Amino acid sequence: MAKSLVLSVSVETGCYRHIRIGESATLFTLSSTILSAFNFYDDHLHSFFMNNRAWDQDAEFVCPSSDLDGALGYTDKVRLSKFSLFKGAKFLYIFDYGDEWRFSIKVLRVIDEPTIRPEILKSVGRISQYGDDDDDDDYENDDDNGDDDDDVDDGTDDGGDGDDGNDGDDF
């Protein structure tokens, strides 16, 4: 029976996505799904490290436009089913070898049903690939009162208790 995985993909504290993907999908498809989920452009090389250790060629799979140089294979040729992933398994995805975006991946669930197309189940936090927030380019301060105060709610809790209100159980 075809299986699916629910993965938690995090790039930094408070910024993660839960992705459902079929085990028959390639690592390349997972790469594309991750980049799309975080609104990144797919304009750099990438690698997966299936032992969760960065730059360990004994467990590295590289994008098709990379040189293998000791890596185990290309991401467009290797399916997730090759790894017999289980709940709690962890691995690492590195995108853009220069900026070295590290995405930690953890298997949350293995489901005994197929997934035809990868799905983003949950999205928490935002991050910008190039250090600027594309959505902010569209923001104009239409405040007519002449003051320069930006009275924009940044979504942070001003209660001072360190609680952002997300207990992680809302999905």
Side-chain angles (χ1 to χ4, degrees), residues 93-143:
Y93 170 65
I94 294 181
F95 173 73
D96 184 349
Y97 300 159
D99 286 339
E100 200 170 311
W101 287 98
R102 291 184 183 213
F103 294 84
S104 298
I105 304 170
K106 180 178 180 180
V107 178
L108 297 179
R109 287 189 300 276
V110 179
I111 302 169
D112 287 328
E113 57 187 55
T115 298
I116 305 303
R117 197 170 335 171
E119 301 174 61
I120 311 305
L121 302 176
K122 184 174 185 178
S123 180
V124 175
R126 292 180 8 166
I127 193 159
S128 177
Q129 180 178 4
Y130 292 111
D132 60 345
D133 194 349
D134 294 338
D135 293 334
D136 287 346
D137 293 342
D138 298 330
Y139 175 76
E140 294 180 19
N141 188 354
D142 292 331
D143 186 17

Side-chain angles (χ1 to χ4, degrees), residues 139 141-151:
Y139 175 76
N141 188 354
D142 292 331
D143 186 17
D144 290 342
N145 67 7
D147 69 35
D148 291 331
D149 292 338
D150 291 331
D151 296 327

